[in-house]
Structures are given as structure tokens and as C-alpha cells.
Amino acid sequence: MSLSNTSRNVTAPVYRDTVQTAVLKNVITVVLCISINYVNGTLVYTFKKHQVFNMNPRYILYIHLVFNDIILLTMFTCVQVFSYIVFSLNVSLCMFLLMTAILANLNNPLTLAAMAVECYIAVCFPLYHAQICTVKKTYIVISMVWVLSALSILPDLFVTLATESIDFFHSRVFCLRENIFRNPHLIEKRDVSNIVFLVIVCLTLFYIYFRILFTAKAAAADAKKARNTILLHGFQLLLCMLTYVYGPILEGLTYLFPKEVQAIRFVISILIQILPRLISPVVYGLRDKMFRKYLYKYLYCTSNSIH
């Protein structure tokens, strides 16, 4: 057992798993992340290879979502594997890995909200879609997503740099967010910012998707497909929004089952951080006709080159 600080004056025990359990958890995580990242990498390659996608705001937003998924899964896997191999990480390295993962994690719900707005304009205002949703404006929206996410996590960095000693950044800890950003006020700030993000994304979700559903019902053509796509987007957005309640869920289950902290943390991380990333390749990689067409061409050429 090793002790790691979770606040200024409180230390909490962090227990090691048995070798068998550690191997099983890492195999599950690595296999899932590599598989999803391989599929997502194929989607990114297909996007970059064909100009038709680079000029479409919908696909630009989608590939930004996929890119963030790749970053998040990579950082998540690195943190878990390193934590099991060496148990404690250098604080500076852990901070870099966590901040990168947090940024990518916060980007996803905001990107999905932007995709919902684009879908809303395409369905409800088709005549104005080309003027409103341009490539330039899409990249501006993506920049705004990164700025908003950065504004949520940068205060944690600045407060930590201002309040912690130099020795702390050269020390080693079990790599958890609460072990790096230890100031109690940062936890309160995180909860408030998560609530704000949650409310904004929820309001965007309900307003836009209900408007699109009503419009799709009124239209005769492709109404069923439009409703199915909307439901998939809504489900994906709801899964990503679970990020905002990760802390309360973990704390609640840990309170109920204090001896199963490691198992609870692993299961929740898989359910909230990894499994939602399985949906992105399905929504566009398989269901979208244009993307599926070029993706099959790439897979067919790859298969022929191997043989």
C-alpha cells in the first residue's frame, strides 16, 4: 500500500492490485484503446486523403471529435499502464498527461454540441446552411472549443504553480487529478465549471434535437434516417456528458464500497472514458454513405496490397 495526498492535510490510501488483476486490467484497457485508435486512425487518414471531406463543416467537426478521442484514449492508456508498472509517476509528467487528457475530454461534449447546431441548421434552414456553416467558421468554432476547455483547466495549473513548492513538482505520486491539483478550492471550482458545462450542453441538446425531431417528422423524405441519426448523436452526447459527473459517481460508489476503490475506479473509467468512443466510428464511419464509400476503398486497397 502507498499513501498519496488528496488535499492539503488529508492522505488517502491507494492499494495495489494483485499481479493477475493488474495484468487483466491493463490487457483490457490496451486492447480496447488500440482497437478504437486503429479504427479512428483509419478515419482520420480517409478524411485527410480526400478533399471532399476537408471542405465539409460536418466532417471537419467529426474528425475533430475523432482526433480528441485518439488523444484521450492514448493519455488514458499511458496513465494506467505507467501507474501499474511504476505505481507512482513524476508530478510534472503526470500533470502533462492529465491536462492533455482533460482538455480532450472537455472538447468532446462541446464539439458534439457544435455538430448538433450544424445539424439543426442543415435540417431547419437548408437554404442558409452554405452561408452560415463555412469551413472558415468551422475552424473558428473549433478554436473556441479549445479556448473554453483551456479556460476550465488552466486555473488549476496556475493555482498549483503558485501554491506548491518546487520539491512537489520533482516528487512522485499516484497519478490522479486530486493528487496533482490538491488545493481544496480547485475541487469546488471543478464542480462549478462542470455544472456550467453540463447545463449549457443539456440546454443545447434538448432544444436543438427536439426542433430537429419535429422538423424530421414534418418532412416525408429520409425522416426515419434523420431521427435515427439524431438519437445516435443524442446518446453519444449524453455518454460524453457523464464526464461531468465522474467525480460524484466515484465518490458515491467509493463511500458505499470503500474496499473496492480500485475496481470501482477501473470500471467507471472504462464505462465513461472508453466505451463512448466506440460510437464515433459507427455514427460516421459506418452509417454515413460518403464516408463508408471512401473507407471501403481504403480498406479494399490495403487488403489487396497485403495479399
Side-chain angles (χ1 to χ4, degrees):
M1 183 183 76
S2 174
L3 294 177
S4 59
N5 293 332
T6 55
S7 67
R8 285 285 180 192
N9 303 310
V10 180
T11 58
V14 178
Y15 297 92
R16 285 181 182 267
D17 285 320
T18 63
V19 174
Q20 294 84 351
T21 302
V23 170
L24 178 61
K25 287 182 177 180
N26 280 288
V27 167
I28 292 173
T29 301
V30 170
V31 169
L32 282 174
C33 290
I34 289 178
S35 301
I36 298 173
N37 273 351
Y38 173 77
V39 175
N40 284 340
T42 303
L43 296 175
V44 172
Y45 177 84
T46 303
F47 171 85
K48 298 295 291 183
K49 196 73 174 177
H50 301 93
Q51 190 67 20
V52 64
F53 298 123
N54 290 267
M55 302 307 296
N56 191 317
R58 183 173 302 174
Y59 294 112
I60 294 173
L61 287 171
Y62 168 65
I63 220 62
H64 178 251
L65 185 72
V66 171
F67 179 72
N68 277 282
D69 283 346
I70 292 174
I71 294 175
L72 176 61
L73 290 174
T74 301
M75 295 299 103
F76 177 83
T77 304
C78 288
V79 169
Q80 177 168 307
V81 172
F82 289 162
S83 296
Y84 276 105
I85 293 176
V86 298
F87 196 66
S88 60
L89 295 182
N90 176 269
V91 168
S92 299
L93 174 60
C94 177
M95 182 179 290
F96 169 76
L97 295 174
L98 287 179
M99 288 192 65
T100 305
I102 291 169
L103 273 173
N105 208 17
L106 291 173
N107 283 346
N108 275 356
L110 295 176
T111 302
L112 284 167
M115 294 173 71
V117 173
E118 188 277 332
C119 188
Y120 168 69
I121 296 172
V123 173
C124 299
F125 305 100
L127 298 179
Y128 301 98
H129 181 265
Q131 289 78 23
I132 298 175
C133 300
T134 63
V135 172
K136 181 179 179 180
K137 290 179 180 178
T138 302
Y139 283 111
I140 292 175
V141 169
I142 290 174
S143 300
M144 292 174 60
V145 166
W146 279 91
V147 169
L148 289 173
S149 297
L151 289 176
S152 178
I153 186 60
L154 284 180
D156 296 45
L157 174 63
F158 295 147
V159 170
T160 302
L161 290 174
T163 58
E164 298 290 353
S165 65
I166 297 296
D167 292 338
F168 172 72
F169 296 98
H170 294 289
S171 63
R172 302 176 70 87
V173 297
F174 189 75
C175 194
L176 296 174
R177 182 172 180 172
E178 57 266 29
N179 291 347
I180 299 297
F181 306 113
R182 304 188 297 178
N183 191 299
H185 297 297
L186 293 179
I187 298 177
E188 298 175 4
K189 188 277 303 178
R190 181 190 64 191
D191 293 339
V192 171
S193 63
N194 284 348
I195 291 173
V196 172
F197 272 89
L198 184 62
V199 170
I200 292 174
V201 174
C202 277
L203 290 177
T204 303
L205 171 71
F206 285 111
Y207 175 77
I208 290 179
Y209 282 118
F210 276 115
R211 287 294 302 272
I212 294 176
L213 279 173
F214 293 145
T215 303
K217 288 181 180 179
D222 296 329
K224 183 177 180 180
K225 181 180 178 181
R227 288 195 296 270
N228 291 338
T229 301
I230 291 164
L231 291 175
L232 278 173
H233 276 298
F235 180 62
Q236 186 180 15
L237 187 53
L238 288 172
L239 287 176
C240 286
M241 284 161 53
L242 289 175
T243 298
Y244 300 144
V245 294
Y246 174 87
I249 292 175
L250 181 61
E251 291 175 7
L253 291 176
T254 301
Y255 177 78
L256 294 174
F257 308 100
K259 295 182 179 180
E260 303 296 335
V261 176
Q262 294 292 81
I264 291 171
R265 191 182 299 277
F266 174 76
V267 172
I268 292 178
S269 296
I270 293 293
L271 293 177
I272 292 180
Q273 305 292 2
I274 295 182
L275 292 185
R277 274 77 208 173
L278 286 169
I279 300 177
S280 296
V282 174
V283 173
Y284 276 97
L286 299 179
R287 293 189 74 254
D288 186 86
K289 289 183 178 179
M290 185 179 297
F291 220 112
R292 186 169 66 239
K293 171 186 174 182
Y294 287 98
L295 185 61
Y296 282 172
K297 283 184 179 180
Y298 166 75
L299 294 176
Y300 178 76
C301 293
T302 303
S303 176
N304 285 342
S305 64
I306 293 176
H307 292 298

